[in-house]
Amino acid sequence: MLPQMGYFSVIRQLECVANSRYVTEVVCNAVPPRNRSINAALRLMQRITGLIGNLEVSIPIPRKKKLKKIFDITFELCKVLRERKRKTLIELLSTMTCLGNRTIQCPIHAGFYHAENITVVESLPPVLTESDFHIRFNWFLPKVASVLNITAVGRLYEIAKEHAKKRKYL
């Protein structure tokens, strides 16, 4: 029997900060009791035609109180959704942009958007190791303003290692 490959994350801290000129009623939280997924909701106040995203993933440097950036990408949301060239980014965005009964399309129309049980870590390739992580996801209008900033702090666990720990103690 092959061990189950992949990862899961546990979110310890989650914060969403919105620019009230563009977004109201913003709510985001980790889903208890395991904190492995996220619920999010927001009301977009106006139509947006060009939205830039910046995703940074950092891990702590052992014995130092610093973070090391392991992933940093900036992209134009509509272009990525339209061209569908970056597979990992497309998978991540597909998970995040299927909000409730609506899939985000460009231009993004004003209205209420919500998503439940968003998980993105399970689709990552098995090349990472268990570690703490710090994720910043910033959405902004080019040369205009920040729209929404999402910060998550948590830990990435290997599924196979967790199964082995359970068997050891049973």
Side-chain angles (χ1 to χ4, degrees):
M1 184 166 119
L2 291 172
Q4 187 176 1
M5 299 301 287
Y7 298 87
F8 68 90
S9 63
V10 174
I11 308 297
R12 290 192 285 250
Q13 182 181 349
L14 181 66
E15 180 181 33
C16 295
V17 178
N19 181 332
S20 60
R21 182 174 173 200
Y22 301 98
V23 176
T24 61
E25 300 176 42
V26 65
V27 176
C28 63
N29 53 41
V31 179
R34 292 183 165 174
N35 291 0
R36 293 187 184 179
S37 61
I38 298 169
N39 289 342
L42 61 84
R43 180 168 304 281
L44 187 61
M45 300 304 294
Q46 56 187 280
R47 182 175 178 249
I48 294 178
T49 56
L51 192 62
I52 303 293
N54 174 254
L55 174 62
E56 283 181 20
V57 179
S58 302
I59 58 173
I61 299 172
R63 290 177 249 171
K64 293 184 180 180
K65 298 202 185 241
K66 292 184 177 183
L67 294 171
K68 177 182 178 183
K69 236 187 269 186
I70 60 169
F71 187 77
D72 186 356
I73 186 167
T74 300
F75 57 92
E76 200 272 309
L77 178 65
C78 294
K79 182 179 178 184
V80 170
L81 292 174
R82 183 177 57 248
E83 293 178 358
R84 301 202 145 315
K85 288 184 181 175
R86 295 180 173 168
K87 185 176 184 262
T88 303
L89 188 56
I90 290 296
E91 289 171 356
L92 174 67
L93 291 173
S94 293
T95 302
M96 295 179 65
T97 58
C98 185
L99 301 174
N101 295 330
R102 303 167 84 169
T103 299
I104 291 184
Q105 297 176 342
C106 295
I108 305 166
H109 297 283
F112 184 74
Y113 294 86
H114 74 281
E116 295 181 0
N117 294 315
I118 300 170
T119 56
V120 294
V121 175
E122 287 78 1
S123 64
L124 294 174
V127 295
L128 303 173
T129 60
E130 284 192 349
S131 68
D132 290 329
F133 63 81
H134 189 268
I135 297 174
R136 292 179 208 246
F137 212 144
N138 301 311
W139 293 104
F140 57 95
L141 298 172
K143 300 179 183 176
V144 178
S146 175
V147 175
L148 179 66
N149 299 318
I150 304 164
T151 304
V153 176
R155 181 156 180 86
L156 184 66
Y157 293 94
E158 275 188 63
I159 292 172
K161 283 185 180 180
E162 292 303 306
H163 286 310
K165 283 180 190 176
K166 286 180 187 174
R167 282 193 297 268
K168 181 179 176 182
Y169 293 108
L170 291 179

